[in-house]
C-alpha cells in the first residue's frame, strides 16, 4: 500500500462520523419490525396458497427465495440514491465469502423444500411444535460453533417458548386435516424436523460468517448470494418436476381465487414477504446473535396463531391463550435482559470516556455494544450501515 493511500485512509478514519448507540437501536428495531411483518405475512400467505388450491411443493419452495433481486435496493441505494455511505457495493467481498454464502444458500434451499413438504401435509399445530424444536438445537449448536454462553436469560426464554409451542400443539388437535394418511404424516413429520435442524444449523453458521464482515450492507450482499443459490436449487427442481407449467395450470384452472389473485398475492406478494423475512433474519443475527434470531423466530410462531385467528377465523381457546402468554413472557424477559445489558455497556463506555462502533453482539445471551476499534484501515473509511 502506498504512503499516499495510507495517509488518505488515516484521514478518512479521522473524519469518519461513527453512528451512535441510538442509531444502532433504531436499526435493530427496524430489522425486527421487518422480521415481524415478513414472518407473519409469509406464513399466512403460505397457508393461503394451499388453502385455495395450490399444491406444488416446488412452487412453495421457489417463492421463498426468488425475491433475492429486491436485496439489490438495500445494497446499491444507500450509496447511489440516498448518498448515506461512501462504501462501494461488494467492497472486500472475498472468494471465501462467495464460497461459503453459496454453500449456505444451497442448504437454505433444501431447508425451504423440507419446510414446504411438511407444510403441505401437517396441520399447523404439529408443524409449530416441530419447528419450535429448532430453538433447542440452535442453542446447542451455538454453544458448539460460536461458543455461545448459556445464561439464565437465554435458557429461560428457550424453555418458555418451547413450552408455549408444546401447549399450542396439544390444544390444536382439531386442526388436523381430514384424510391425512400415516405415510404422508410421517413424511411431513420427518421433513419438518429436517427443516428445523437445518435452520438451527443455519443461524450459528451465518453468525460465524458475519463475524468476518464489517457493515450491515455487506450482510445483505452475503444474503443476496445465499438467496441466489437457494433460488438456483429451487429453479432446477421446478424445471425437473414441471413446476413452471404447474404454476400456469394452477393459476388458470385450480386456484379458487382466480389467476389475478394467484399471480399477485399467492406468488408476488408471497415472494416479497419471504424475502423480507429472510433478510431481516440475517440482520438480526448480525446485530445480535444466532440464538437471538432463533428466539425471535420462535416467538413469532405464537403471533402466527393470532394471525390465523384474525385472518382465517381459527379457534382461540384457553390453551392457545396460555401458550401465547408464555410466548410473550419468555420473549419480553429476553428483550428486557438485552436492554439492561445494553444500558450497562453504554454506562461503562461513558465512564471510560471512549467511543465504540455500532455493531451489537451477544455476550452470554444478552445484547451489548461491541467495544473496540474499527477492524482495519479500509473498514474505518466506510459507514457501518
Amino acid at each position: 500500500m502506498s504512503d499516499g493511500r495510507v495517509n488518505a485512509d488515516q484521514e478518512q478514519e479521522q473524519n469518519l462520523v461513527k453512528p451512535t448507540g441510538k442509531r444502532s437501536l433504531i436499526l435493530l428495531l427496524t430489522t425486527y419490525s421487518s422480521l415481524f411483518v415478513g414472518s407473519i405475512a409469509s406464513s399466512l400467505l403460505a397457508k393461503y396458497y394451499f388453502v385455495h388450491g395450490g399444491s406444488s411443493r416446488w412452487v412453495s419452495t421457489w417463492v421463498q427465495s426468488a425475491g433475492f433481486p429486491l436485496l439489490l435496493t438495500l445494497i446499491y441505494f444507500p450509496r447511489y440514491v440516498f448518498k448515506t455511505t461512501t462504501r462501494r457495493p461488494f467492497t472486500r467481498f472475498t472468494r471465501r465469502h462467495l464460497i461459503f454464502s453459496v454453500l449456505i444458500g444451497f442448504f437454505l434451499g433444501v431447508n425451504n423444500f423440507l419446510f414446504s413438504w411438511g407444510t403441505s401435509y401437517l396441520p399447523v399445530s404439529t408443524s409449530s411444535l416441530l419447528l419450535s424444536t429448532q430453538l433447542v438445537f440452535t442453542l446447542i449448536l451455538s454453544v458448539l460453533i460460536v461458543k455461545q454462553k448459556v445464561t439464565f436469560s437465554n435458557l429461560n426464554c428457550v424453555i418458555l417458548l418451547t413450552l408455549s409451542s408444546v401447549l399450542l400443539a396439544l390444544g390444536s388437535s382439531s386442526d388436523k386435516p381430514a384424510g391425512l394418511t400415516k405415510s404422508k404424516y410421517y413424511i411431513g413429520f420427518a421433513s419438518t424436523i429436517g427443516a428445523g435442524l437445518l435452520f438451527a444449523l443455519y443461524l450459528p453458521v451465518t453468525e460465524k460468517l458475519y463475524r468476518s464482515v464489517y457493515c450491515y450492507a455487506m450482510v445483505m450482499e452475503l444474503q443476496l448470494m445465499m438467496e441466489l443459490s437457494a433460488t438456483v436449487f429451487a429453479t432446477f427442481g421446478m424445471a425437473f418436476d414441471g413446476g413452471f407449467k404447474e404454476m400456469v395450470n394452477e393459476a388458470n384452472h385450480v386456484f379458487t381465487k382466480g389467476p389475478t389473485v394467484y399471480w399477485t398475492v399467492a406468488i408476488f406478494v408471497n415472494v416479497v414477504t419471504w424475502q423480507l423475512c429472510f433478510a431481516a433474519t440475517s440482520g438480526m443475527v448480525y446485530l445480535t446473535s444466532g440464538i437471538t434470531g432463533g428466539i425471535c423466530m420462535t416467538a413469532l410462531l405464537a403471533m402466527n396463531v393470532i394471525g390465523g385467528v384474525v385472518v382465517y377465523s381459527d379457534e382461540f381457546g384457553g390453551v392457545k391463550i396460555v401458550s401465547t402468554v408464555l410466548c410473550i413472557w419468555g420473549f419480553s424477559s429476553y428483550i428486557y435482559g438485552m436492554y439492561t445489558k445494553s444500558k450497562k455497556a453504554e454506562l461503562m463506555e461513558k465512564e471510560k470516556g471512549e467511543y465504540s462502533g455500532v455493531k451489537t453482539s451477544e455476550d452470554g445471551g444478552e445484547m451489548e455494544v461491541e467495544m473496540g476499534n474499527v477492524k482495519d484501515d479500509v473498514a474505518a473509511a466506510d459507514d457501518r450501515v
Side-chain angles (χ1 to χ4, degrees):
M1 181 180 291
S2 66
D3 293 339
R5 173 63 186 278
V6 172
N7 293 334
D9 288 338
Q10 289 176 346
E11 182 178 353
Q12 284 180 314
E13 180 175 351
Q14 292 173 355
N15 296 331
L16 179 64
V17 178
K18 299 175 184 177
T20 63
K22 183 177 181 180
R23 186 177 175 184
S24 300
L25 181 60
I26 292 174
L27 181 60
L28 182 62
L29 292 176
T30 301
T31 301
Y32 186 71
S33 297
S34 300
L35 177 61
F36 182 88
V37 174
S39 177
I40 295 178
S42 59
S43 298
L44 292 175
L45 287 173
K47 183 176 181 180
Y48 183 85
Y49 169 76
F50 287 110
V51 163
H52 293 289
S55 60
S56 174
R57 287 176 288 274
W58 278 114
V59 171
S60 180
T61 301
W62 186 77
V63 299
Q64 292 181 54
S65 59
F68 69 90
L70 297 172
L71 294 176
L72 293 173
T73 59
L74 299 178
I75 295 171
Y76 285 94
F77 276 31
R79 174 178 170 84
Y80 296 105
V81 178
F82 302 122
K83 309 294 184 181
T84 57
T85 180
T86 58
R87 177 185 180 273
R88 289 174 296 178
F90 293 95
T91 298
R92 297 181 67 210
F93 193 93
T94 65
R95 183 180 299 177
R96 175 180 177 273
H97 289 136
L98 177 62
I99 292 173
F100 276 97
S101 59
V102 169
L103 289 176
I104 293 173
F106 172 78
F107 285 105
L108 182 61
V110 176
N111 172 82
N112 294 343
F113 179 72
L114 292 175
F115 172 80
S116 298
W117 198 294
T119 301
S120 66
Y121 284 143
L122 294 182
V124 173
S125 57
T126 305
S127 179
S128 297
L129 170 61
L130 297 178
L131 288 175
S132 70
T133 60
Q134 64 87 14
L135 188 58
V136 178
F137 297 135
T138 299
L139 180 59
I140 295 172
L141 292 172
S142 293
V143 171
L144 297 176
I145 296 174
V146 296
K147 309 304 180 184
Q148 171 71 48
K149 294 180 181 179
V150 179
T151 65
F152 174 79
S153 177
N154 55 35
L155 185 60
N156 174 66
C157 186
V158 167
I159 293 173
L160 287 174
L161 290 177
T162 303
L163 179 60
S164 170
S165 296
V166 169
L167 289 175
L168 175 63
L170 294 176
S172 306
S173 58
S174 60
D175 291 341
K176 184 176 180 179
L180 185 68
T181 64
K182 282 188 176 181
S183 61
K184 289 183 177 180
Y185 178 84
Y186 289 133
I187 290 173
F189 187 95
S191 297
T192 307
I193 284 289
L197 285 171
L198 281 178
F199 194 75
L201 179 62
Y202 165 81
L203 292 173
V205 167
T206 53
E207 179 185 353
K208 192 172 185 67
L209 178 62
Y210 293 159
R211 289 181 177 181
S212 66
V213 307
Y214 64 94
C215 63
Y216 197 89
M218 199 170 180
V219 174
M220 294 299 105
E221 292 163 4
L222 290 169
Q223 184 66 22
L224 175 71
M225 300 310 301
M226 292 180 197
E227 296 293 340
L228 173 59
S229 179
T231 303
V232 170
F233 170 82
T235 301
F236 272 109
M238 289 271 286
F240 179 78
D241 198 47
F244 292 105
K245 292 182 179 179
E246 190 170 357
M247 288 176 71
V248 176
N249 180 64
E250 283 183 345
N252 296 328
H253 306 290
V254 178
F255 200 70
T256 58
K257 295 294 184 178
T260 301
V261 175
Y262 180 86
W263 292 114
T264 57
V265 178
I267 300 299
F268 178 74
V269 177
N270 209 358
V271 164
V272 173
T273 56
W274 273 114
Q275 201 54 229
L276 186 64
C277 176
F278 280 122
T281 300
S282 295
M284 284 295 297
V285 172
Y286 173 69
L287 293 172
T288 56
S289 69
I291 186 62
T292 300
I295 286 172
C296 291
M297 292 294 293
T298 305
L300 290 174
L301 288 175
M303 297 300 101
N304 288 335
V305 176
I306 297 176
V309 172
V310 175
V311 177
Y312 298 110
S313 300
D314 293 345
E315 294 184 2
F316 194 62
V319 174
K320 286 188 177 182
I321 293 175
V322 173
S323 175
T324 303
V325 170
L326 284 174
C327 177
I328 295 174
W329 176 18
F331 184 64
S332 298
S333 65
Y334 188 75
I335 292 296
Y336 180 74
M338 292 171 65
Y339 174 78
T340 55
K341 186 70 175 182
S342 176
K343 286 296 183 182
K344 185 182 296 184
E346 290 179 7
L347 181 61
M348 291 176 62
E349 187 65 12
K350 288 181 180 179
E351 290 176 351
K352 292 178 181 179
E354 298 176 351
Y355 193 87
S356 81
V358 305
K359 181 180 182 295
T360 57
S361 63
E362 186 163 357
D363 182 13
E366 297 173 350
M367 185 183 71
E368 63 180 353
V369 179
E370 181 175 333
M371 307 302 171
N373 298 324
V374 179
K375 292 183 178 179
D376 55 37
D377 56 340
V378 179
D382 299 316
D383 291 334
R384 288 289 298 171
V385 182

Coordinates of all heavy atoms in Angstrom, one line a residue, residues 137-176:
F137 N -32.1 -26.9 19.4 CA -31.0 -27.2 18.6 C -30.1 -26.0 18.3 O -28.8 -26.1 18.3 CB -31.4 -27.8 17.2 CG -32.2 -29.1 17.4 CD1 -33.3 -29.3 16.6 CD2 -31.7 -30.1 18.2 CE1 -34.0 -30.5 16.8 CE2 -32.4 -31.3 18.3 CZ -33.6 -31.5 17.6
T138 N -30.7 -24.8 18.1 CA -29.9 -23.6 17.9 C -29.1 -23.3 19.1 O -27.9 -22.9 18.9 CB -30.9 -22.4 17.6 OG1 -31.6 -22.7 16.4 CG2 -30.1 -21.1 17.3
L139 N -29.6 -23.4 20.3 CA -28.8 -23.1 21.5 C -27.6 -24.1 21.6 O -26.5 -23.6 21.8 CB -29.7 -23.2 22.7 CG -29.0 -22.9 24.0 CD1 -28.4 -21.5 24.1 CD2 -30.0 -23.1 25.2
I140 N -27.9 -25.3 21.3 CA -26.8 -26.4 21.4 C -25.7 -26.1 20.4 O -24.5 -26.1 20.7 CB -27.4 -27.8 21.3 CG1 -28.3 -28.1 22.4 CG2 -26.3 -28.8 21.2 CD1 -29.1 -29.4 22.3
L141 N -26.2 -25.9 19.1 CA -25.2 -25.6 18.0 C -24.5 -24.3 18.2 O -23.3 -24.2 17.8 CB -25.9 -25.7 16.7 CG -26.5 -27.1 16.3 CD1 -27.3 -27.0 15.0 CD2 -25.3 -28.0 16.1
S142 N -25.1 -23.3 18.8 CA -24.5 -22.0 19.0 C -23.4 -22.2 20.1 O -22.3 -21.6 20.0 CB -25.5 -21.0 19.5 OG -26.4 -20.7 18.5
V143 N -23.6 -23.0 21.1 CA -22.6 -23.3 22.1 C -21.4 -24.0 21.4 O -20.2 -23.7 21.7 CB -23.2 -24.2 23.2 CG1 -22.0 -24.7 24.1 CG2 -24.2 -23.5 24.0
L144 N -21.6 -24.9 20.5 CA -20.6 -25.7 19.8 C -19.8 -24.9 18.8 O -18.6 -24.9 18.7 CB -21.1 -27.0 19.2 CG -21.7 -28.0 20.2 CD1 -22.3 -29.1 19.4 CD2 -20.7 -28.5 21.2
I145 N -20.6 -24.1 18.0 CA -20.0 -23.4 16.8 C -19.4 -22.0 17.2 O -18.3 -21.7 16.8 CB -21.0 -23.3 15.7 CG1 -21.4 -24.7 15.2 CG2 -20.5 -22.5 14.5 CD1 -22.5 -24.7 14.2
V146 N -20.2 -21.2 17.9 CA -19.7 -19.8 18.2 C -19.5 -19.6 19.7 O -19.4 -18.5 20.1 CB -20.8 -18.8 17.6 CG1 -20.9 -18.9 16.1 CG2 -22.2 -19.0 18.3
K147 N -19.4 -20.7 20.4 CA -19.1 -20.6 21.9 C -20.1 -19.7 22.6 O -19.7 -19.0 23.5 CB -17.7 -20.1 22.1 CG -16.6 -20.8 21.2 CD -16.6 -22.3 21.5 CE -15.5 -23.0 20.7 NZ -15.6 -24.5 20.8
Q148 N -21.4 -19.9 22.3 CA -22.4 -19.1 23.0 C -22.5 -19.5 24.4 O -22.5 -20.7 24.8 CB -23.7 -19.4 22.3 CG -25.0 -18.8 23.0 CD -25.0 -17.3 23.0 OE1 -24.8 -16.8 21.9 NE2 -25.2 -16.7 24.1
K149 N -22.5 -18.6 25.3 CA -22.7 -18.9 26.8 C -24.1 -19.1 27.1 O -25.0 -18.3 26.7 CB -22.1 -17.7 27.6 CG -20.6 -17.5 27.5 CD -20.1 -16.3 28.3 CE -18.6 -16.1 28.2 NZ -18.2 -15.0 29.0
V150 N -24.4 -20.1 27.9 CA -25.7 -20.4 28.3 C -26.0 -19.7 29.6 O -25.3 -19.9 30.6 CB -25.9 -21.9 28.5 CG1 -27.3 -22.2 29.0 CG2 -25.7 -22.7 27.3
T151 N -26.9 -18.8 29.6 CA -27.2 -18.0 30.8 C -28.7 -18.2 31.2 O -29.5 -18.8 30.5 CB -27.0 -16.5 30.5 OG1 -27.9 -16.0 29.5 CG2 -25.6 -16.2 30.1
F152 N -29.0 -17.7 32.3 CA -30.4 -17.8 32.8 C -31.4 -17.1 31.7 O -32.5 -17.6 31.5 CB -30.6 -17.1 34.1 CG -32.1 -17.0 34.6 CD1 -32.7 -18.2 35.1 CD2 -32.8 -15.9 34.5 CE1 -34.0 -18.1 35.5 CE2 -34.1 -15.8 34.9 CZ -34.7 -16.9 35.4
S153 N -30.9 -16.0 31.2 CA -31.8 -15.2 30.3 C -32.1 -16.0 29.0 O -33.3 -16.2 28.7 CB -31.0 -13.9 29.8 OG -31.8 -13.2 28.9
N154 N -31.1 -16.6 28.3 CA -31.5 -17.3 27.1 C -32.1 -18.7 27.4 O -33.0 -19.2 26.7 CB -30.3 -17.4 26.2 CG -29.1 -18.0 26.8 OD1 -29.2 -18.9 27.6 ND2 -27.9 -17.6 26.4
L155 N -31.6 -19.4 28.5 CA -32.2 -20.7 28.8 C -33.6 -20.6 29.3 O -34.5 -21.4 28.9 CB -31.4 -21.3 29.9 CG -31.7 -22.8 30.3 CD1 -31.6 -23.7 29.1 CD2 -30.9 -23.3 31.5
N156 N -34.0 -19.5 30.1 CA -35.3 -19.3 30.5 C -36.2 -19.0 29.3 O -37.4 -19.6 29.2 CB -35.4 -18.1 31.4 CG -36.8 -17.7 31.8 OD1 -37.5 -18.4 32.5 ND2 -37.2 -16.5 31.4
C157 N -35.7 -18.2 28.3 CA -36.5 -17.9 27.2 C -36.8 -19.2 26.3 O -37.9 -19.4 25.8 CB -35.9 -16.8 26.4 SG -36.8 -16.2 25.0
V158 N -35.7 -20.0 26.1 CA -35.8 -21.2 25.3 C -36.9 -22.2 25.9 O -37.7 -22.7 25.2 CB -34.5 -21.9 25.2 CG1 -34.6 -23.4 24.7 CG2 -33.5 -21.1 24.3
I159 N -36.9 -22.3 27.3 CA -37.8 -23.2 27.9 C -39.2 -22.7 27.8 O -40.1 -23.5 27.5 CB -37.4 -23.4 29.4 CG1 -36.1 -24.1 29.6 CG2 -38.5 -24.1 30.2 CD1 -35.6 -24.1 31.0
L160 N -39.4 -21.4 28.0 CA -40.8 -20.8 28.0 C -41.4 -20.9 26.5 O -42.5 -21.3 26.3 CB -40.8 -19.4 28.5 CG -40.6 -19.2 30.0 CD1 -40.5 -17.7 30.3 CD2 -41.8 -19.8 30.7
L161 N -40.5 -20.6 25.5 CA -41.0 -20.6 24.2 C -41.3 -22.0 23.7 O -42.3 -22.3 23.0 CB -40.0 -19.9 23.2 CG -39.9 -18.4 23.4 CD1 -38.8 -17.9 22.4 CD2 -41.2 -17.7 23.1
T162 N -40.5 -23.0 24.1 CA -40.7 -24.4 23.7 C -42.0 -24.9 24.4 O -42.8 -25.6 23.8 CB -39.5 -25.2 24.1 OG1 -38.3 -24.7 23.5 CG2 -39.7 -26.7 23.7
L163 N -42.1 -24.6 25.7 CA -43.4 -25.0 26.4 C -44.6 -24.3 25.8 O -45.6 -25.0 25.6 CB -43.3 -24.6 27.9 CG -44.5 -24.9 28.7 CD1 -44.7 -26.4 28.8 CD2 -44.2 -24.4 30.2
S164 N -44.5 -23.1 25.3 CA -45.6 -22.4 24.6 C -46.0 -23.2 23.4 O -47.2 -23.4 23.1 CB -45.1 -21.0 24.3 OG -46.1 -20.4 23.4
S165 N -45.0 -23.6 22.6 CA -45.3 -24.3 21.4 C -45.9 -25.7 21.6 O -46.8 -26.2 20.9 CB -44.1 -24.4 20.5 OG -43.6 -23.1 20.1
V166 N -45.4 -26.4 22.7 CA -46.0 -27.7 23.1 C -47.4 -27.5 23.4 O -48.3 -28.3 23.0 CB -45.2 -28.3 24.2 CG1 -45.9 -29.5 24.8 CG2 -43.8 -28.7 23.8
L167 N -47.8 -26.5 24.3 CA -49.2 -26.3 24.6 C -50.0 -26.0 23.4 O -51.1 -26.4 23.3 CB -49.2 -25.2 25.7 CG -48.7 -25.5 27.1 CD1 -48.8 -24.3 28.0 CD2 -49.6 -26.6 27.7
L168 N -49.4 -25.2 22.5 CA -50.1 -24.8 21.3 C -50.5 -26.0 20.5 O -51.6 -26.1 20.0 CB -49.3 -23.8 20.5 CG -49.8 -23.4 19.1 CD1 -51.1 -22.7 19.2 CD2 -48.7 -22.6 18.4
A169 N -49.6 -26.9 20.4 CA -49.8 -28.1 19.6 C -50.9 -29.1 20.3 O -51.8 -29.6 19.6 CB -48.5 -28.9 19.3
L170 N -50.7 -29.2 21.6 CA -51.6 -30.1 22.3 C -53.0 -29.5 22.3 O -54.0 -30.3 22.4 CB -51.1 -30.2 23.8 CG -49.8 -31.0 24.0 CD1 -49.4 -31.0 25.4 CD2 -49.9 -32.4 23.4
G171 N -53.2 -28.2 22.2 CA -54.5 -27.6 22.3 C -55.1 -27.4 20.9 O -56.2 -26.8 20.8
S172 N -54.5 -27.9 19.9 CA -54.9 -27.7 18.5 C -55.1 -28.9 17.7 O -54.9 -29.0 16.5 CB -54.0 -26.7 17.8 OG -53.8 -25.6 18.5
S173 N -55.4 -30.0 18.3 CA -55.6 -31.3 17.6 C -56.7 -31.3 16.6 O -56.6 -32.0 15.6 CB -55.9 -32.4 18.6 OG -57.1 -32.1 19.4
S174 N -57.6 -30.4 16.7 CA -58.7 -30.3 15.7 C -58.3 -29.7 14.4 O -59.0 -29.8 13.4 CB -59.8 -29.4 16.3 OG -59.4 -28.1 16.6
D175 N -57.0 -29.2 14.4 CA -56.5 -28.6 13.1 C -56.1 -29.7 12.1 O -55.7 -29.4 11.0 CB -55.3 -27.7 13.4 CG -55.8 -26.4 14.1 OD1 -57.0 -26.1 14.1 OD2 -54.9 -25.8 14.7
K176 N -56.0 -30.9 12.5 CA -55.5 -32.0 11.7 C -56.4 -32.1 10.5 O -57.6 -32.3 10.6 CB -55.5 -33.3 12.4 CG -54.9 -34.4 11.6 CD -54.8 -35.7 12.5 CE -54.2 -36.8 11.7 NZ -54.0 -38.1 12.5

